[in-house]
Structure formats: structure tokens, C-alpha cells
Amino acid sequence: MEVIQTVAAMQAHAEARRREGRRLALVPTMGALHEGHLTLVSAARCHADHVTVSIFVNPTQFGPGEDYARYPRQLARDVAALEALGVDVVFAPSVAEMYPEGPEANLTWVYVERLDAHLCGRYRPGHFRGVTTVVAKLFNICKPHVAVFGLKDAQQFQIIRRMVRDLHYDIELIGVPTVRAADGLALSSRNAYLTPEERTQAVVLSQAIEAAQQAIRQGEQRVEAIVEAMRQTLARAPLARVQYAEVVDAETLQPVDRIMPGQQVLIGVAVFFGQTRLIDSAFVEVP
Ligand code: PAF
């Protein structure tokens, strides 16, 4: 396995593999890898014969006061885990390599309009602009045929899908279902911040998603009632501070008052435990 740190070396490597006729997959990550990321790598293996994992904590997707500085960084451990999985390349650039004049001096942005108006985008202004910009850069640097993302970040996945469509990227996107701990908590690098008590109570996120799914299965069409079922579940955790519990159309990511049979919706929650912000979500087809 090669660890590549410069844009020029990564582009040359990808170009050479393409000329050999290899099918290239990219798994973009911010490191601090857990079982969920490793599942993304396995999915990448099924769709390509060369897998690159990028590890880059992207400063432009963190807002002021968010956890950019304290985001867990453990490159040596991540590289060892990826080597054991048979990954071909780890692309781990520095901030200076990705933003040569500094992130603040960046002038060119990729921004998918409207789809960031609700869910996480509403509370993290500029976040998705940072995500789509860095993902566009990673696509241009790693030149994948296939890119793999986790569906836990469901809004991110839908926004990247739209970017790929609108900018005619010749890249197949694969969304991999969320990997969960035994009690249902979605795996996330940020779970490492939780105290034992917060960790126990964090199970309410997946329970809230399940409560919404159950209400929908039972024929509830009023979004107000579905959201109320989620909020009641979240209220079981005294340490939880709810940021949002929402149901939106899965394609437009706009809120709806009533869900319709056959419609695809996205259910999402974001909850703070102290300074730690956790999210969970599910795509549901209304029966
Ligand atoms: O999902 C993430 O870890 C990040 O948002 C991504 C896609 C690697 C871009 O920095």
C-alpha cells in the first residue's frame, strides 16, 4: 500500500492506473476510522479493482466554534487498519497541499443550491459548500470511476449526488447503509467525545428514527405527528439537547406537511450531548 501526500503524485498515480485499464474507487474520509469506514472500503472493493482512501480533515466544512481543532487525528492507526484491508493507496494531503493559499483565501467554491436549506445545512451555514468543494477537488485529484459514501450523512450524500449530476462527473456513486453499535447508535468518529453516561443516552437517536419509521408504517401521514413521535423518544434522554427532528422529501430535501404513498422521504435528527453533535437518519419509502 502506498501513502501519497501530494496532489501531483496522486494525480500521476491515478492517471497511470487508468492507462492500465484499472477501475478506480475512492472512499473520501476525514480519518479516525471505525467499522463504518471499513465497510465503505469493502463496498469499494466490490465495485473496483483499485481502492484509494483519502484522509483529510477539511477545514472549509467546519464553522466557527465547531470541532475542527479537536477533531480526532490518528493517521498512523488509520494507515495500519487500511493496509490490513488491502487498500491500494491512502491519499493524506496537508491543508497547504489542498489549499495552497490557505483555506480563507480559497476563491473557487462548488455550491449546490437549496438542498442545504434544511436538516444539518440549516444549522451549519457553509458546511455543505465546504464538503462539495473538497469532494470536487478529491474527484479531480484521485480520478475515480466510483466513489463510496456512508448514508449516515444522508443529506451530504444527496447533495453530492446532485453535484455529480449537475457537473456531469463521470463517476458512479455508491451509498452504504449506516453501521450501528449493538444498541443501535450509528458509528461516528464523534462518538469518541461522549462520556459513558452520554454514550448510554445516545441510543435515543436511533430509537427516534425507529419511532418515525414505525409511525409511517402504521399509516401516519401527518409530519407533525411523526415529528412528535421522534421528539417524545428523544425526550427520554435528559442529557440530550435536540437541534432538529425533521421529515423532508428525499429528493428536494424540502419539508413536507403530509407524506404521500410511494413518496421517498428522509427522516433526520441532530442532537447535542454537551459540545458533541450527533446525527442519525433514514430514507423511507412511504407504503
Ligand atoms: O463525510 C465525511 O467524512 C466528509 O464530509 C468528506 C466526504 C470526507 C468530505 O470532507
Side-chain angles (χ1 to χ4, degrees):
M1 186 180 80
E2 269 189 72
V3 179
I4 297 180
Q5 291 179 308
T6 67
V7 170
M10 185 68 232
Q11 283 176 324
H13 179 96
E15 199 48 49
R17 297 294 83 75
R18 275 185 166 248
R19 275 201 301 271
E20 290 165 6
R22 308 277 293 272
R23 185 167 166 80
L24 275 53
L26 171 66
V27 183
T29 81
M30 299 205 299
L33 302 181
H34 51 66
E35 202 53 42
H37 293 110
L38 306 187
T39 310
L40 303 183
V41 172
S42 310
R45 268 263 159 268
C46 296
H47 290 87
D49 53 25
H50 178 287
V51 177
T52 297
V53 175
S54 65
I55 298 182
F56 180 62
V57 185
N58 172 37
T60 64
Q61 68 186 74
F62 289 82
E66 291 190 350
D67 57 345
Y68 175 65
R70 71 171 184 139
Y71 197 84
R73 290 162 173 86
Q74 44 176 56
L75 185 61
R77 227 170 92 185
D78 290 345
V79 166
L82 294 172
E83 177 129 51
L85 282 187
V87 162
D88 298 277
V89 172
V90 172
F91 176 54
S94 63
V95 172
E97 191 65 25
M98 291 296 280
Y99 297 98
E101 291 170 25
E104 315 75 29
N106 194 56
L107 294 183
T108 305
W109 299 96
V110 178
Y111 176 52
V112 177
E113 293 184 1
R114 260 199 328 254
L115 301 195
D116 69 342
H118 297 278
L119 305 168
C120 294
R122 175 163 173 207
Y123 298 95
R124 302 186 70 189
H127 167 69
F128 286 111
R129 185 184 76 152
V131 169
T132 37
T133 299
V134 83
V135 169
K137 281 169 172 276
L138 290 168
F139 285 174
N140 293 333
I141 296 165
C142 302
K143 305 176 190 271
H145 299 94
V146 183
V148 181
F149 295 87
L151 289 177
K152 180 172 84 73
D153 296 310
Q155 185 175 22
Q156 168 174 285
F157 187 75
Q158 294 301 69
I159 289 176
I160 292 171
R161 234 167 50 119
R162 185 67 198 224
M163 174 187 86
V164 164
R165 202 162 96 199
D166 286 354
L167 296 184
H168 306 279
Y169 273 109
D170 189 11
I171 296 175
E172 183 188 353
L173 283 193
I174 310 287
V176 177
T178 306
V179 178
R180 298 179 179 280
D183 66 354
L185 178 66
L187 298 194
S188 161
S189 306
R190 293 189 167 100
N191 293 351
Y193 302 146
L194 299 172
T195 65
E197 208 181 354
E198 289 168 346
R199 170 63 190 84
T200 307
Q201 293 189 22
V203 69
V204 293
L205 277 95
S206 61
Q207 288 175 344
I209 296 291
E210 178 49 37
Q213 285 175 306
Q214 200 183 329
I216 294 172
R217 275 198 301 271
Q218 288 170 351
E220 184 57 76
Q221 292 190 326
R222 292 166 306 139
V223 165
E224 204 182 342
I226 299 166
V227 167
E228 183 51 30
M230 293 163 88
R231 287 195 174 271
Q232 278 180 15
T233 309
L234 294 170
R236 286 189 216 141
L239 297 175
R241 198 156 38 85
V242 180
Q243 187 177 60
Y244 70 75
E246 276 189 79
V247 179
V248 299
D249 179 85
E251 209 56 40
T252 65
L253 304 186
Q254 302 303 311
V256 284
D257 291 336
R258 254 192 126 74
I259 57 175
M260 296 299 163
Q263 187 180 11
Q264 277 269 352
V265 294
L266 173 60
I267 305 163
V269 287
V271 172
F272 278 98
F273 285 93
Q275 295 300 306
T276 306
R277 183 176 175 279
L278 302 181
I279 59 171
D280 204 343
S281 61
F283 289 103
V284 180
E285 174 152 352
V286 182

